[in-house]
């Protein structure tokens, strides 16, 4: 006679965890690395710009890496099980990617998003099975996400706290390791600068730590929207928040408060970028590449070309690497809508012409 007694809860939980990790790792194993695009700069002989194209991930942005790491981190900490509701405060891209992984695991996912989030991102969250909980602005998202987690008995993934620790910064195919591996056969295999933005601070923390761990002479520059607290905190650590009403139209980067995942000590330089400069650079690099990129990529490009001009003035040669964060298709009704920009008094045209001239042909 067989024993039909149910398996202990601990055994069932371990079995679910094993299967969840396997599914996420299998998804990773099916995915190729992202491309590193070389951009020649005729006006700057001996200096080359490279774009790490994170838009080719299955969920279309750099945040695919973060979502995978956050959910694995939560599972392996025992915070997530087969019936856990996953909740995140996000301006869109992180939530899109987390919805994808939640669907992969058969879990319910709720995204707490500001009302300003682009409709294309909201559609992408819903496409992957996620639910939308709208709040007025980014300041309200934190509390709303925590309340939803309590009400549902779910887990608040909290990218702003866990981004810097969920990713293995020493390697394991993180974005920094991938950049250096792909640069290995270039004219200047060790970049002079790597440039990225800061939304959670997780990407800059990973890259900055990896540079130090590998003992590379590469310096890290973080490009930050002018209406963000991060560059202010970098200059003066006593500054922790922005005044109400101070906000940027560049989604995905810049914050009204200093996040736990932002590690200023690994950053060599920060550049504050006006929205008009980000939009102009976004448009110029999109023309150069022949396809649209998002606003945060424009922020990165503005900082890159400032560094490149400085290198050229000093007679230096080398490589500057930055991140192509996502596709501009997600911003058709915002950053690529002239009327939308006009209503916000964003005068981007002169910056587009300036950046286009620097990029050359």
């Amino acid at each position: 006679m067989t024993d039909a007694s149910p398996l202990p809860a601990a055994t069932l939980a371990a079995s679910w965890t094993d299967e969840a990790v396997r599914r996420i790792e299998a998804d990773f194993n099916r995915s190729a690395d992202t491309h590193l695009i070389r951009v020649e700069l005729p006006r700057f002989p001996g200096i080359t710009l490279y774009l790490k194209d994170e838009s080719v991930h299955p969920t279309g942005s750099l945040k695919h890496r973060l979502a995978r790491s956050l959910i694995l981190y939560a599972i392996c900490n025992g915070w997530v099980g087969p019936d856990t509701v996953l909740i995140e405060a996000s301006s869109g891209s992180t939530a899109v990617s987390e919805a994808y992984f939640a669907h992969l695991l058969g879990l319910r996912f709720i995204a707490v998003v500001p009302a300003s989030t682009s409709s294309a991102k909201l559609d992408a969250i819903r496409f992957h099975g996620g639910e939308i909980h709208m709040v007025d602005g980014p300041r309200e998202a934190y509390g709303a996400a925590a309340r939803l987690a309590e009400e549902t008995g779910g887990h608040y993934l909290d990218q702003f706290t866990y981004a810097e620790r969920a990713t293995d910064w020493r390697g394991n195919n993180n974005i920094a390791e991938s950049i250096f591996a792909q640069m290995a056969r270039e004219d200047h295999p060790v970049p002079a600068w790597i440039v990225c933005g800061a939304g959670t601070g997780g990407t800059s923390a990973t890259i900055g730590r990896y540079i130090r761990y590998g003992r590379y002479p590469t310096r890290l520059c973080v490009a930050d929207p002018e209406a963000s607290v991060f560059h202010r905190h970098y200059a003066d650590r006593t500054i922790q928040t922005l005044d109400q009403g101070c906000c940027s139209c560049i989604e995905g980067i810049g914050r009204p408060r200093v996040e736990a995942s932002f590690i200023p000590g690994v950053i060599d330089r920060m550049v504050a970028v006006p929205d008009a400069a980000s939009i102009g650079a976004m448009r110029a690099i999109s023309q150069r590449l022949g396809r649209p990129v998002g606003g945060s990529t424009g922020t990165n490009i503005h900082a890159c070309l400032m560094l490149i001009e400085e290198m050229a003035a000093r007679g230096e040669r080398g490589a500057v690497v930055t991140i192509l964060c996502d596709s501009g298709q997600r911003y058709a009704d915002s950053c690529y809508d002239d009327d939308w920009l006009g209503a916000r008094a964003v005068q981007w045209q002169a910056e587009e012409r300036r950046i286009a001239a620097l990029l050359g042909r």
Side-chain angles (χ1 to χ4, degrees):
M1 185 174 177
T2 58
D3 183 2
S5 59
L7 292 171
T11 301
L12 289 173
S15 178
W16 184 87
T17 296
D18 289 350
E19 176 61 14
V21 172
R22 185 200 66 76
R23 288 187 187 186
I24 293 173
E25 292 299 285
D27 179 83
F28 173 75
N29 204 44
R30 293 191 296 270
S31 302
D33 197 1
T34 60
H35 309 305
L36 190 65
I37 301 170
R38 179 176 170 128
V39 180
E40 302 291 349
L41 302 171
R43 288 192 55 176
F44 302 101
I47 303 176
T48 308
L49 174 65
Y50 295 84
L51 309 181
K52 181 67 167 163
D53 186 3
E54 295 292 287
S55 72
V56 299
H57 282 294
T59 54
S61 82
L62 167 67
K63 299 299 187 178
H64 192 84
R65 295 179 188 267
L66 173 60
R68 180 172 58 224
S69 294
L70 285 170
I71 293 177
L72 277 172
Y73 186 73
I75 290 169
C76 293
N77 276 323
W79 300 337
V80 173
D83 301 312
T84 306
V85 180
L86 301 182
I87 295 153
E88 184 63 280
S90 169
S91 63
S93 287
T94 301
V96 172
S97 299
E98 287 172 339
Y100 171 90
F101 285 107
H103 180 73
L104 187 72
L105 300 178
L107 300 177
R108 183 183 174 197
F109 174 76
I110 304 172
V112 180
V113 301
S116 59
T117 304
S118 69
S119 59
K121 285 186 179 179
L122 299 179
D123 290 343
I125 293 168
R126 294 187 181 103
F127 175 81
H128 291 298
E131 302 169 33
I132 304 295
H133 181 90
M134 196 81 73
V135 294
D136 291 337
R139 297 172 193 267
E140 291 75 35
Y142 312 100
R147 285 193 299 274
L148 277 172
E150 185 175 356
E151 291 168 6
T152 62
H155 174 66
Y156 175 21
L157 288 161
D158 195 359
Q159 59 173 323
F160 301 110
T161 296
Y162 297 111
E164 58 88 9
R165 66 198 73 172
T167 299
D168 184 352
W169 50 267
R170 290 166 295 186
N172 196 22
N173 197 39
N174 67 39
I175 191 169
E177 183 180 51
S178 177
I179 286 170
F180 279 92
Q182 290 178 320
M183 287 293 296
R185 291 180 175 81
E186 297 302 308
D187 302 333
H188 302 282
V190 177
W193 287 94
I194 296 178
V195 177
C196 69
T200 62
T203 299
S204 58
T206 297
I207 294 172
R209 288 164 171 167
Y210 186 87
I211 288 170
R212 285 157 178 73
Y213 182 66
R215 304 187 303 280
Y216 294 108
T218 303
R219 288 174 289 175
L220 174 64
C221 174
V222 171
D224 198 34
E226 225 174 31
S228 169
V229 74
F230 289 138
H231 63 90
R232 293 171 170 84
H233 177 73
Y234 183 77
D236 179 353
R237 303 299 162 83
T238 66
I239 298 173
Q240 297 287 330
T241 60
L242 287 181
D243 294 335
Q244 285 282 356
C246 189
C247 62
S248 169
C249 70
I250 308 301
E251 290 184 32
I253 55 173
R255 300 298 300 169
R257 75 175 194 186
V258 177
E259 307 295 352
S261 281
F262 181 69
I263 312 296
V266 304
I267 299 167
D268 297 294
R269 183 169 176 179
M270 289 200 71
V271 175
V273 183
D275 284 355
S278 293
I279 299 298
M282 174 199 78
R283 302 254 182 145
I285 193 65
S286 294
Q287 287 293 321
R288 178 64 187 273
L289 296 175
R291 59 188 174 97
V293 303
S296 57
T297 301
T299 308
N300 290 344
I301 293 296
H302 173 88
C304 285
L305 286 167
M306 187 188 75
L307 295 171
I308 287 167
E309 287 184 289
E310 292 175 359
M311 289 172 64
R314 294 190 296 265
E316 296 175 4
R317 294 171 174 264
V320 176
V321 180
T322 193
I323 299 172
L324 195 168
C325 306
D326 60 5
S327 168
Q329 293 175 338
R330 290 182 169 175
Y331 309 97
D333 58 357
S334 56
C335 292
Y336 284 93
D337 185 332
D338 292 354
D339 292 337
W340 187 90
L341 293 169
R344 289 157 179 78
V346 179
Q347 302 296 319
W348 49 269
Q349 294 87 345
E351 183 66 10
E352 180 187 19
R353 291 191 293 270
R354 186 184 75 85
I355 295 293
L358 292 175
L359 289 170
R361 273 292 186 184

